[in-house]
Amino acid sequence: YLSNDVDEISTFLSRDGGFTWFEVRKGSHIYEIGDHGALIVIANDQHPTDMVQYSWDEGLTWQDLRITNDKIMIKNIIIEPSSTSLHFVVYGESTTVKGKKRGVVIALNFSSLNEKRCANPEEPDSPNSDYEKWSPSDHRDGHNCLLGKKYIYVRKKRESECYNGQDFERKSLIEYCTCTNYDYECDEG
């Protein structure tokens, strides 16, 4: 359920278009997703902090990264518009000894972590691939088509801790479906 009580707020993620959700962090957080969805960077947005956390496995595990010597109130984490980069910008504000606020901007470059490159995107669902096939659906039994088509996307397996790279091109397939009664509805007139 939704709550405005700060002590009851957590941060959640969905891997199936919003049908199911799982908690990735307790508390309220600001986040950004990069490397075609392979990297999540998250930070507490309710209290001053000197850390961000990052995950290569869609929130299963997190690594701390200290980004400043003094705690700052993080206002946002941003990335270039296509979310394909490993470069992030964190901005916020700190309070001086005299109580004045000053802006803070910190650049993060995750390419220097030397994470392994994801393997075999052309062989999704195989044991030697870091990728899997996924199709969005409305979760009706035996009905994987949406508006007469089945879309199949290739995405990184959740448990694969690797990076895609800026030049990664996401593969997708479209299969046309035979219409069923689910594809029609009644309307007046």
Side-chain angles (χ1 to χ4, degrees):
Y1 65 94
L2 295 177
S3 173
N4 290 327
D5 184 352
V6 174
D7 295 331
E8 295 179 346
I9 293 174
S10 289
T11 304
F12 290 81
L13 181 80
S14 176
R15 297 190 79 238
D16 61 6
F19 281 97
T20 59
W21 294 86
F22 62 93
E23 183 180 78
V24 291
R25 298 295 289 179
K26 292 275 187 205
S28 176
H29 290 80
I30 190 77
Y31 66 91
E32 189 59 78
I33 299 172
D35 189 39
H36 304 270
L39 176 62
I40 303 172
V41 178
I42 196 168
N44 187 310
D45 64 351
Q46 297 297 306
H47 304 287
T49 183
D50 59 355
M51 306 281 261
V52 297
Q53 288 81 36
Y54 63 94
S55 176
W56 291 103
D57 57 13
E58 297 180 13
L60 290 175
T61 60
W62 295 94
Q63 303 295 319
D64 290 337
L65 178 64
R66 189 167 185 213
I67 60 171
T68 180
N69 293 329
D70 300 317
K71 291 190 176 191
I72 63 171
M73 190 67 199
I74 295 177
K75 298 294 185 181
N76 205 356
I77 302 170
I78 57 174
I79 192 172
E80 45 73 39
S82 65
S83 297
T84 61
S85 177
L86 291 169
H87 300 253
F88 295 77
V89 173
V90 176
Y91 67 86
E93 60 188 24
S94 67
T95 305
T96 65
V97 178
K98 295 181 180 181
K100 291 188 175 185
K101 300 215 184 276
R102 70 181 172 110
V104 176
V105 177
I106 301 167
L108 304 176
N109 179 356
F110 286 88
S111 62
S112 62
L113 292 179
N114 297 319
E115 198 70 30
K116 78 173 184 100
R117 180 107 185 203
C118 296
N120 301 317
E122 64 284 344
E123 300 174 24
D125 292 330
S126 71
N128 61 340
S129 177
D130 288 312
Y131 296 92
E132 65 186 359
K133 292 178 186 172
W134 176 72
S135 295
S137 80
D138 60 7
H139 290 256
R140 289 184 278 181
D141 290 333
H143 193 74
N144 292 326
C145 293
L146 293 172
L147 301 173
K149 298 177 186 174
K150 179 179 179 182
Y151 295 89
I152 303 169
Y153 297 97
V154 174
R155 68 179 180 184
K156 186 178 82 63
K157 292 176 183 173
R158 185 175 187 195
E159 64 277 0
S160 294
E161 293 188 25
C162 55
Y163 77 96
N164 290 306
Q166 190 122 14
D167 58 344
F168 174 70
E169 290 190 34
R170 185 173 309 281
K171 304 279 188 246
S172 62
L173 304 166
I174 298 174
E175 294 176 2
Y176 293 92
C177 305
T178 303
C179 290
T180 67
N181 287 338
Y182 287 115
D183 297 309
Y184 298 92
E185 65 182 4
C186 295
D187 195 6
E188 283 189 47

